[in-house]
Amino acid sequence: MGKIIASANQKGGVGKTTTAFNLGACLASDGKKVLLVDADPQANATSGLGVNPEEIEVSVYECLVDGTDAATAVVPTCVEGLSLISSRIDLVGAEVELMNRRDREKSLSKVLEPLKDDYDFILIDCSPSLGIITVNALSAADSVIIPVQAEYFALEGISQLLNTIRIIKSRLRPSLEIEGFLLTMYDARLRLANQIFEELKGHFGDMVFTTVIPRNIKLSESPSHGLPVILYDPESRGAIAYEQLGRELIARNRRKKA
């Protein structure tokens, strides 16, 4: 049975989407069968994998709101072994559509449950908010990766996200765990970046990934070409870092199972 991992942080611009689709691509290139679920109305993970959101007939919106079979929403991507359930801007309306439904926080969990046996990993790219769609993603997930930007206000808002995770654990998903904190946009030359990494380690210990994601122009450029960085420039520092993150994630989960 596949593991569902959400990439979440209500703070925008921290590398959440970059992490979701590049990690998915690296896990797939390592032989894992991976499904990426784009649960962000901006659909950046969708376009970052070369899929045009406007050409998609069935997206995560139809699955959540209309109860469409999720298997019909799955499309292939440019990476062998990596599939996608895409998003569109109309996902914004799902917040309102789901509001008065019973068990509205469990809608995405019901959508993904039939697919769990088909994949090794299901990754969910959350929107930069703590609205009903993100709550749905966290309620469906087994664990959450929290990308943290290596800048001054890095830890700002993490307490709010951790409080949301605590509430979801107590009321909706008792088994939800923090997969790890991931430092992104890291520049080893800056004292501040190193201080933030040490501060994270001091607060959260082994929950912080050893891998850090560097500031890298290839990471910024690759989505505009509709490619994950391992296809756009496999020799770049960004590609090497995400490959290392994929291996670290697999090793962590192997240890937990053992």
Side-chain angles (χ1 to χ4, degrees):
M1 182 174 284
K3 184 171 189 178
I4 302 179
I5 304 175
S7 176
N9 192 329
Q10 80 274 19
K11 196 173 187 295
V14 299
K16 174 185 52 58
T17 298
T18 299
T19 293
F21 76 83
N22 280 301
L23 175 59
C26 289
L27 289 169
S29 71
D30 202 34
K32 303 299 181 185
K33 197 172 181 190
V34 184
L35 174 66
L36 176 63
V37 180
D38 191 347
D40 184 348
Q42 296 175 87
N44 290 334
T46 298
S47 58
L49 285 171
V51 177
N52 184 346
E54 295 182 5
E55 294 177 358
I56 293 294
E57 292 184 13
V58 182
S59 70
V60 71
Y61 173 85
E62 283 77 19
C63 297
L64 283 172
V65 174
D66 301 331
T68 303
D69 182 359
T72 66
V74 176
V75 295
T77 70
C78 53
V79 182
E80 186 177 351
L82 175 62
S83 300
L84 171 73
I85 294 180
S86 68
S87 180
R88 285 200 305 261
I89 190 63
D90 55 5
L91 185 59
V92 171
E95 297 267 349
V96 178
E97 299 264 10
L98 294 175
M99 194 57 67
N100 294 320
R101 291 194 184 180
R102 193 176 175 186
D103 290 336
R104 60 184 179 271
E105 298 91 351
K106 290 285 190 178
S107 299
L108 186 58
S109 181
K110 292 173 184 173
V111 167
L112 297 180
E113 191 62 36
L115 300 178
K116 285 189 76 171
D117 288 337
D118 297 332
Y119 298 94
D120 297 304
F121 291 98
I122 297 176
L123 304 180
I124 307 174
D125 180 36
C126 300
S127 62
S129 72
L130 291 177
I132 188 67
I133 302 299
T134 298
V135 169
N136 258 271
L138 294 173
S139 299
D142 299 303
S143 65
V144 54
I145 291 176
I146 303 174
V148 180
Q149 191 176 1
E151 292 194 354
Y152 182 70
F153 293 113
L155 303 180
E156 187 182 82
I158 283 186
S159 60
Q160 187 181 354
L161 176 60
L162 292 178
N163 189 51
T164 300
I165 290 171
R166 276 193 293 270
I167 292 170
I168 288 171
K169 274 179 69 72
S170 65
R171 299 181 185 175
L172 297 166
R173 184 72 165 173
S175 60
L176 179 64
E177 298 179 338
I178 294 175
E179 189 71 43
F181 293 85
L182 176 67
L183 196 64
T184 62
M185 304 179 196
Y186 178 77
D187 188 339
R189 298 169 299 177
L190 300 180
R191 181 186 297 173
L192 178 61
N194 291 296
Q195 286 175 342
I196 290 168
F197 186 58
E198 292 305 318
E199 194 170 343
L200 266 181
K201 290 287 284 184
H203 273 91
F204 302 111
D206 290 340
M207 284 195 291
V208 180
F209 284 105
T210 303
T211 304
V212 297
I213 307 301
R215 280 196 177 277
N216 181 242
I217 189 65
K218 300 300 182 182
L219 275 177
S220 303
E221 289 175 355
S222 66
S224 66
H225 295 269
L227 294 170
V229 72
I230 58 164
L231 293 187
Y232 180 66
D233 188 347
E235 303 300 319
S236 66
R237 289 166 59 239
I240 292 167
Y242 274 111
E243 286 177 326
Q244 184 178 330
L245 177 64
R247 288 191 294 269
E248 184 176 354
L249 179 68
I250 290 168
R252 280 186 176 211
N253 281 278
R254 194 177 291 133
R255 286 196 299 270
K256 284 178 183 176
K257 284 181 180 177

